[in-house]
Amino acid sequence: MATRGSTPETAPVVRRRPDPADSLVWEPSERWVRGTKGGVTVVDSRRPVLVWEPGVPVPIYAFPAEDVRMDLLRRSERPPGRRHAGATVFYDLVLDDQVVRSAAWECPGEELADHVCFAWFGREVLDHWYEEKEEIFVHPRDPHKRVDALPSARHVQVEIEGTVVADTRSPVLLFETGLPVRYYFPREDVRLDLLTPTDTSTRCPYKGVATEYWSWAGEGEARRDVAWSYPDPLPAVGVIKDRIAFYDERVDVIVDGERQQRPDTFFGGR
């Protein structure tokens, strides 16, 4: 059943960690959140609510309607496919001659009556989202998830097709809830001559924008985008700046002389 809590105007209360297998769960946030489109501020709220929809492991924000430019929203028909946890009222976003279909919807149920949600992951509805002064990407950061980047003295090596591609005794270990530890190597400890740059770019809510990717350039199995780097990471993980990490799912990692088992995640087949 849904996790119930105080209304957004009251102080947050302690709740269990939201379970994405349940029905809609939510909790108030004290962050100042803004969203813009084409230079126009569409959302400006100091009382957002984090919402976890059934079956979706990451949250979105719901905003009081008075914190949303409702004059830019136009009632639309129910979109095909997923219906956002029982929502029945949907809106197109209209800016000048640009129309973004099914960009927003009203939260169902009494607890979040008069709150509006916007589509995030999988669709570029708004151009930029900010929590306080910091831009965020892909989806709101989950307060029940940790990401820690810790400098280490472990001896870490990466092999591809039996060739040592990276070897360091000063890695940064990045621990992210629900994912394997990632080892970030100093650039000088990586054999970049064995890697080919690609034009791939990805975004992460917790680390920022990775604008550098490399594929394996040696013999054997083709391995595209096997390594990446964040030239300008978010401040919370600034220690990984310009370092290079590898998908442990597709390379062989040796830590302090012990060969690691390859993890099985959705990154394995990329």
Side-chain angles (χ1 to χ4, degrees), residues 55-249:
V56 182
V58 295
I60 58 175
Y61 274 124
F63 305 97
E66 53 263 39
D67 295 343
V68 176
R69 285 284 305 273
M70 297 300 294
D71 59 305
L72 301 177
L73 299 183
R74 181 179 65 195
R75 286 284 293 268
S76 63
E77 297 181 356
R78 180 195 302 266
R82 239 168 78 15
R83 290 180 170 76
H84 300 292
T88 59
V89 178
F90 294 85
Y91 298 96
D92 295 336
L93 174 63
V94 182
L95 274 172
D96 297 327
D97 58 350
Q98 183 179 11
V99 178
V100 182
R101 303 292 182 187
S102 305
W105 61 93
E106 290 185 6
C107 292
E110 296 180 1
E111 298 99 330
L112 295 177
D114 300 322
H115 280 67
V116 176
C117 296
F118 284 82
W120 283 66
F121 33 90
R123 297 185 59 203
E124 298 297 329
V125 170
L126 299 189
D127 298 333
H128 302 282
W129 285 99
Y130 301 90
E131 290 178 346
E132 301 299 331
K133 291 178 65 177
E134 188 169 283
E135 186 170 7
I136 58 175
F137 308 97
V138 187
H139 61 77
R141 284 171 278 202
D142 189 332
H144 303 278
K145 184 173 184 177
R146 286 189 63 93
V147 177
D148 298 299
L150 305 179
S152 175
R154 300 196 198 199
H155 182 201
V156 184
Q157 298 169 292
V158 168
E159 289 184 359
I160 300 179
E161 300 290 344
T163 299
V164 175
V165 180
D167 188 331
T168 190
R169 294 182 182 273
S170 57
V172 168
L173 274 57
L174 190 136
F175 301 91
E176 183 171 350
T177 304
L179 288 176
V181 60
R182 300 300 188 190
Y183 303 94
Y184 280 79
F185 291 78
R187 193 164 293 229
E188 59 269 22
D189 292 341
V190 177
R191 289 281 308 274
L192 286 172
D193 59 304
L194 297 175
L195 303 173
T196 299
T198 74
D199 59 0
T200 299
S201 176
T202 61
R203 302 185 301 171
C204 171
Y206 306 96
K207 298 183 289 292
V209 182
T211 56
E212 292 184 290
Y213 269 81
W214 293 267
S215 295
W216 167 240
E219 297 180 356
E221 177 189 355
R223 308 186 193 207
R224 178 173 172 79
D225 293 334
V226 74
W228 70 89
S229 181
Y230 287 87
D232 188 23
L234 295 175
V237 292
V239 69
I240 69 171
K241 177 180 174 63
D242 290 329
R243 287 174 172 257
I244 297 174
F246 293 80
Y247 281 114
D248 297 24
E249 296 87 342

Side-chain angles (χ1 to χ4, degrees), residues 27-77:
E27 65 181 50
S29 172
E30 296 184 357
R31 301 187 182 198
W32 175 22
V33 178
R34 289 162 292 137
T36 67
K37 179 73 170 179
V40 175
T41 299
V42 179
V43 177
D44 188 336
S45 181
R46 298 171 189 261
R47 45 183 182 163
V49 178
L50 283 164
V51 173
W52 287 261
E53 296 184 296
V56 182
V58 295
I60 58 175
Y61 274 124
F63 305 97
E66 53 263 39
D67 295 343
V68 176
R69 285 284 305 273
M70 297 300 294
D71 59 305
L72 301 177
L73 299 183
R74 181 179 65 195
R75 286 284 293 268
S76 63
E77 297 181 356

